[in-house]
């Protein structure tokens, strides 16, 4: 019915919305069809034959049950030997009947070391279909997107060649370098200010400079701006803060800076830059040279309708600083995807960032869900999704459920069976069901597994830390400071060990970091501790197994330096996300070298048995 991904004219909004309605209405039937197609293709692979002999002649619910009974739910360590064999030159039919054409590497700061996911040529078609489906959804809510351009800041990372000759690279680098992207048909709803040559430039600094220069020159045509992650977009704003004078000089004289040496990039930008434009240079100079950069996006690109960036999960902490720069523009998270698979679309893109939910498209993969429960068996929404560490959760694999059988308000770990050779693979994302679009469930992204701080029996995950920091930063905002970045680590050099949280702050006005009030910062430390879970507070108050929490304030630009370090170690610029917990000694030393203030909690947090909090 809808396999392989159907071809349609992405300029036809009505056809696009009808496809989405068909997909979500027939979610159950399409999921069965997807699984049948995957198993039919790959029944003779070494991996599947190792678990059962499959007869797909009459695929029905019985075959589905046999599949679930015999094929185990796995993590990356289980499939890693198969991936490595193919990377070392063995044939693809170990896991996939279709030839594996490349490997997609996960972000080095998402769940540890980069992992390699198999990919095929057909998978690029599926991704193209997915991107095309975003267009009619946006057009439903935002008018006249065909009357201008998008300033999307997109980047690539050099690929690595495996011993087999197959390339290993981040998923977005793979897509931007593919024919599906480079030879894409014209779509009047999706015209970029950045020439492909600037996106594909391997030098990230030259790429950033040239893309911003093109965006500035075409400012009157820009209808939307963005990047993949909120952190990447903010890095671009910081880059603009550092280079706006040089960019204006280029516009004023009609000449690209001599340090832009990539020939393809330089030629493409020169064609857009054109003649000298004194008036435009003066206008941009006037805006960038003002007292405050509050609302700078709307000032420089006045026709902009929204900012498209991912602001869910760990990216949520960037919302306040994005709002500072945005001038009231909506923050739009359009899609949910990973190196393993592209998953779902936000059907209400103009909703508040805190309300973003993604509808999984049932033709992208076969989806299953491991229920996430508290170890004491409580299943309320509050306990399921607010403050659960992975070690406090239990997964009952006998209760794994299909896409259309998830329950509203419940949390699950996502499991996928893909067209590219992953079978019942645990992605590691925890999702909460927030509703349904027709028969397809919608999910709020809760957090990524295994991003934790731990000193003793405490287990603090990414969501816990985000909530605690969000509470604490409210104390400094009235003083004219914005928290722009943070990360943390468990310092066990002393006994007892303690949490260290690095904060990078930005002044809204003329204040500087030397004017930080010590009492307020110590209160911030205490507020973080009070906002952490009961186990942490018990360790602090009753067990004395954790020392007072410390906040170390670092210089402006420190987290840019951390990103540069991570990129130098192999992370992708395009996929980089600031790690909320760090373990690298080199990264910690880098952050410590930038510290301008250290503050400790002076109060022991409240704690009572059974999680009852007593205010004192």
């Amino acid at each position: 019915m809808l396999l392989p991904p159907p071809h349609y004219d992405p300029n036809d909004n009505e056809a696009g919305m009808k496809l989405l309605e068909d997909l979500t209405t027939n979610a159950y039937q399409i999921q069965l069809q997807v699984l049948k197609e995957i198993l039919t293709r790959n029944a003779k692979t070494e991996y599947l034959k190792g678990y059962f002999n499959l007869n797909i002649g009459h695929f029905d619910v019985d075959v589905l049950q046999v599949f679930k009974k015999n094929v185990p739910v796995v993590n990356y360590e289980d499939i890693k030997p198969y991936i490595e064999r193919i990377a070392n030159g063995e044939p693809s039919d170990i896991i996939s009947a279709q030839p594996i054409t490349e490997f997609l590497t996960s972000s080095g700061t998402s769940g540890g070391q980069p992992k390699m996911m198999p990919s095929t040529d057909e998978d690029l078609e599926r991704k193209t279909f997915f991107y095309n489906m975003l267009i009619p959804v946006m057009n439903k809510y935002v008018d006249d997107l065909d009357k201008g351009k998008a300033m999307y800041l997109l980047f690539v990372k050099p690929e690595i060649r495996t011993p087999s000759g197959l390339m290993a690279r981040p998923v977005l680098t793979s897509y931007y370098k593919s024919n599906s992207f480079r030879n894409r048909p014209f779509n009047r709803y999706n015209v970029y200010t950045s020439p492909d040559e600037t996106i594909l430039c391997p030098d990230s600094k030259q790429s950033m400079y040239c893309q911003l220069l093109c965006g500035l020159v075409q400012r009157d045509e820009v209808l939307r701006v963005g990047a993949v992650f909120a952190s990447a977009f903010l890095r671009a704003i910081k880059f603009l803060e550092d280079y706006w004078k040089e960019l204006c000089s280029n516009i004023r004289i009609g000449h690209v800076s001599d340090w832009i040496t990539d020939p393809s990039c330089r030629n493409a930008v020169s064609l857009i830059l054109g003649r000298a434009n004194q008036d435009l240079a003066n206008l941009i100079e006037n805006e960038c040279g003002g007292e405050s950069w509050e609302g700078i996006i709307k000032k420089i690109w006045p026709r902009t309708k929204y900012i498209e960036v991912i602001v869910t999960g760990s990216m949520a902490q960037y919302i306040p600083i994005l709002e500072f720069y945005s001038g009231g523009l909506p923050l739009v998270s359009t899609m949910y995807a990973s190196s393993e698979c592209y998953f779902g679309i936000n059907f209400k893109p103009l909703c508040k960032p805190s309300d973003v939910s993604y509808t999984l498209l049932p033709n992208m993969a076969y989806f299953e869900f491991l229920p996430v429960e508290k170890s004491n068996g409580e299943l309320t929404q509050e306990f399921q999704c607010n403050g659960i560490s992975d070690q406090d959760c239990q997964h009952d694999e006998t209760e794994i459920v299909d896409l259309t059988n998830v329950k509203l308000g419940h949390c699950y770990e996502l499991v996928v069976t893909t067209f590219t050779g992953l079978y019942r693979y645990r992605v590691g994302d925890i999702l909460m069901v927030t509703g349904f679009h027709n028969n397809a469930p919608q999910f709020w992204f809760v957090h990524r597994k295994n991003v934790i701080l731990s000193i003793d029996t405490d287990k603090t995950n990414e969501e816990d830390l985000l909530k605690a920091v969000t509470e604490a930063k409210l104390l400094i905002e009235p003083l004219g400071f914005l928290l722009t970045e943070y990360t943390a680590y468990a310092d066990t050099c002393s006994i007892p060990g303690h949490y260290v949280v690095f904060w990078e702050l930005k002044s809204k006005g003329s204040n500087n970091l030397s004017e930080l009030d010590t009492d307020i910062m110590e209160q911030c430390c205490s507020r973080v501790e009070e906002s952490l879970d009961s186990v942490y507070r018990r360790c602090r108050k009753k067990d004395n197994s954790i020392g007072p929490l410390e906040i170390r304030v670092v210089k402006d630009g420190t987290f840019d330096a951390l990103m540069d370090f991570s990129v130098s170690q192999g992370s992708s610029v395009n996929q980089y996300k600031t790690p909320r917990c760090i373990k690298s000694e080199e990264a910690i030393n880098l952050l410590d070298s930038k510290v301008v203030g250290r503050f400790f909690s002076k109060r022991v947090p409240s704690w009572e048995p059974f999680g009852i909090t007593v205010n004192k």
Side-chain angles (χ1 to χ4, degrees):
M1 178 167 50
L2 291 168
L3 303 172
H7 295 283
Y8 84 101
D9 181 359
N11 293 289
D12 188 341
N13 292 314
E14 184 177 348
M17 290 307 300
K18 184 178 185 305
L19 266 178
L20 288 172
E21 289 300 301
D22 289 344
L23 284 167
T24 54
T25 298
N26 300 298
Y28 175 75
Q29 296 89 335
I30 292 171
Q31 279 283 276
L32 285 180
Q33 188 179 0
V34 164
L35 185 60
K36 177 180 180 180
E37 178 67 23
I38 292 171
L39 296 181
T40 301
R41 289 182 183 183
N42 301 296
K44 295 183 179 180
T45 60
E46 177 185 323
Y47 185 88
L48 284 181
K49 284 199 300 183
Y51 294 109
F52 67 116
N53 291 319
L54 193 61
N55 182 359
I56 308 290
H58 298 285
F59 189 91
D60 54 23
V61 175
D62 290 337
V63 174
L64 176 61
Q65 295 307 317
V66 171
F67 168 74
K68 290 188 173 186
K69 179 181 178 181
N70 291 326
V71 178
V73 175
V74 297
N75 58 32
Y76 187 73
E77 292 306 312
D78 298 316
I79 65 168
K80 185 177 179 180
Y82 298 91
I83 301 292
E84 290 183 340
R85 286 170 59 191
I86 298 172
N88 286 322
E90 293 192 45
S92 300
D93 62 10
I94 294 172
I95 59 172
S96 172
Q98 286 194 318
I100 302 300
T101 53
E102 64 180 339
F103 295 102
L104 306 178
T105 55
S106 69
S107 169
T109 61
S110 182
Q113 296 299 312
K115 304 169 185 177
M116 295 196 301
M117 300 298 162
S119 185
T120 64
D121 285 338
E122 184 195 72
D123 200 40
L124 286 168
E125 296 179 25
R126 194 165 283 105
K127 290 182 174 71
T128 299
F129 166 80
F130 186 93
Y131 283 120
N132 285 338
M133 297 313 298
L134 301 174
I135 297 169
V137 175
M138 285 309 309
N139 286 334
K140 179 179 178 181
Y141 291 92
V142 183
D143 294 331
D144 298 327
L145 290 178
D146 58 339
K147 301 296 192 297
K149 297 182 179 181
M151 189 187 76
Y152 290 158
L153 305 168
L154 309 173
F155 306 93
V156 298
K157 178 186 181 296
E159 52 266 289
I160 300 168
R161 189 175 296 277
T162 64
S164 66
L166 298 177
M167 306 308 294
R169 49 195 173 191
V171 60
L172 295 171
T173 297
S174 163
Y175 187 71
Y176 300 148
K177 289 194 170 186
S178 71
N179 288 329
S180 297
F181 179 79
R182 291 187 297 176
N183 298 325
R184 61 194 181 278
F186 175 77
N187 180 347
R188 68 179 188 272
Y189 293 104
N190 218 10
V191 180
Y192 299 151
T193 58
S194 298
D196 288 358
E197 292 85 352
T198 63
I199 295 171
L200 297 171
C201 178
D203 185 311
S204 59
K205 183 178 179 181
Q206 292 189 52
S207 175
M208 177 76 82
Y209 187 92
C210 289
Q211 291 192 62
L212 284 172
L213 182 56
C214 291
L216 291 171
V217 171
Q218 300 171 85
R219 68 182 291 270
D220 290 332
E221 298 179 76
V222 172
L223 297 182
R224 53 206 189 276
V225 299
V228 178
F229 292 113
S231 55
F233 187 72
L234 288 173
R235 183 171 172 83
I237 298 303
K238 179 64 167 60
F239 191 97
L240 182 60
E241 286 189 81
D242 294 338
Y243 284 90
W244 65 265
K245 291 182 180 179
E246 184 176 347
L247 290 161
C248 286
S249 175
N250 286 185
I251 294 170
R252 180 172 285 109
I253 64 176
H255 179 78
V256 184
S257 293
D258 291 340
W259 64 269
I260 303 299
T261 56
D262 182 283
S264 297
C265 194
R266 187 177 185 86
N267 291 338
V269 175
S270 296
L271 290 174
I272 291 174
L273 181 59
R275 300 178 303 182
N277 192 332
Q278 178 101 11
D279 292 341
L280 178 59
N282 290 342
L283 187 152
I284 296 170
E285 199 171 61
N286 182 62
E287 297 295 356
C288 292
E291 290 186 4
S292 172
W293 272 46
E294 185 171 3
I296 194 69
I297 301 300
K298 193 69 175 173
K299 292 174 183 176
I300 296 179
W301 295 282
R303 295 181 63 199
T304 303
K305 296 173 181 283
Y306 60 87
I307 300 174
E308 184 174 329
V309 286
I310 293 173
V311 289
T312 49
S314 64
M315 293 293 114
Q317 72 105 11
Y318 296 109
I319 293 170
I321 192 69
L322 281 170
E323 290 175 338
F324 173 77
Y325 287 124
S326 72
L329 293 168
L331 304 178
V332 173
S333 291
T334 59
M335 59 181 279
Y336 168 40
S338 75
S339 299
E340 294 88 344
C341 177
Y342 280 28
F343 302 122
I345 291 175
N346 179 6
F347 276 26
K348 296 181 179 179
L350 297 185
C351 68
K352 295 187 296 184
S354 58
D355 294 335
V356 170
S357 291
Y358 301 104
T359 303
L360 299 199
L361 299 188
N363 65 328
M364 297 304 294
Y366 182 71
F367 299 112
E368 297 177 271
F369 300 87
L370 278 169
V372 174
E373 300 185 23
K374 285 290 283 182
S375 57
N376 62 7
E378 292 174 318
L379 278 172
T380 64
Q381 178 174 324
E382 177 183 0
F383 281 104
Q384 286 171 343
C385 294
N386 295 325
I388 298 178
S389 67
D390 299 310
Q391 282 69 24
D392 286 338
C393 297
Q394 296 177 337
H395 295 95
D396 186 349
E397 294 188 10
T398 64
E399 295 183 4
I400 192 167
V401 297
D402 301 318
L403 178 68
T404 56
N405 289 322
V406 295
K407 296 179 180 178
L408 186 65
H410 285 233
C411 283
Y412 301 89
E413 181 182 351
L414 179 61
V415 177
V416 295
T417 296
T418 70
F419 289 92
T420 57
L422 299 178
Y423 306 97
R424 309 197 82 192
Y425 177 79
R426 295 172 69 161
V427 174
D429 292 346
I430 306 300
L431 311 175
M432 185 182 78
V433 184
T434 58
F436 290 82
H437 184 87
N438 296 323
N439 295 314
Q442 299 172 308
F443 295 90
W444 175 57
F445 183 94
V446 180
H447 69 84
R448 178 78 177 171
K449 286 185 61 185
N450 300 324
V451 181
I452 61 172
L453 293 169
S454 180
I455 296 290
D456 187 43
T457 57
D458 57 299
K459 304 294 179 187
T460 299
N461 63 32
E462 183 175 346
E463 183 76 358
D464 292 331
L465 187 60
L466 171 62
K467 288 198 307 177
V469 169
T470 299
E471 285 293 318
K473 70 180 182 179
L474 297 176
L475 297 173
I476 60 168
E477 289 179 351
L479 305 180
F481 292 98
L482 285 173
L483 176 65
T484 61
E485 277 285 11
Y486 73 91
T487 191
Y489 80 102
D491 186 346
T492 55
C493 294
S494 58
I495 300 175
H498 69 291
Y499 286 13
V500 175
V501 186
F502 292 96
W503 279 16
E504 182 171 320
L505 303 176
K506 181 180 182 64
S507 173
K508 294 191 218 178
S510 59
N511 295 343
N512 59 61
L513 296 180
S514 64
E515 298 174 358
L516 282 172
D517 187 287
T518 299
D519 289 338
I520 295 295
M521 289 305 301
E522 290 173 354
Q523 290 177 39
C524 287
C525 297
S526 298
R527 181 70 65 86
V528 172
E529 291 195 302
E530 287 289 354
S531 302
L532 292 174
D533 66 19
S534 176
V535 176
Y536 173 88
R537 289 182 281 113
R538 186 205 70 206
C539 289
R540 276 279 283 128
K541 182 175 183 178
K542 182 177 185 294
D543 300 342
N544 295 316
S545 58
I546 300 178
L549 181 139
E550 177 185 3
I551 291 177
R552 298 179 188 172
V553 177
V554 297
K555 298 176 183 177
D556 182 43
T558 295
F559 279 79
D560 287 336
L562 179 63
M563 177 178 176
D564 291 339
F565 168 77
S566 297
V567 170
S568 75
Q569 300 298 300
S571 293
S572 163
V573 173
N574 206 52
Q575 288 184 281
Y576 177 84
K577 294 171 283 190
T578 300
R580 296 303 164 215
C581 301
I582 54 174
K583 296 182 180 180
S584 163
E585 184 175 348
E586 290 177 282
I588 293 171
N589 289 340
L590 185 155
L591 292 169
D592 273 336
S593 71
K594 309 286 187 181
V595 170
V596 295
R598 298 176 61 169
F599 310 92
F600 290 85
S601 174
K602 297 296 186 183
R603 294 186 300 165
V604 176
S606 59
W607 177 82
E608 295 293 336
F610 311 111
I612 300 173
T613 300
V614 178
N615 295 321
K616 297 183 178 177

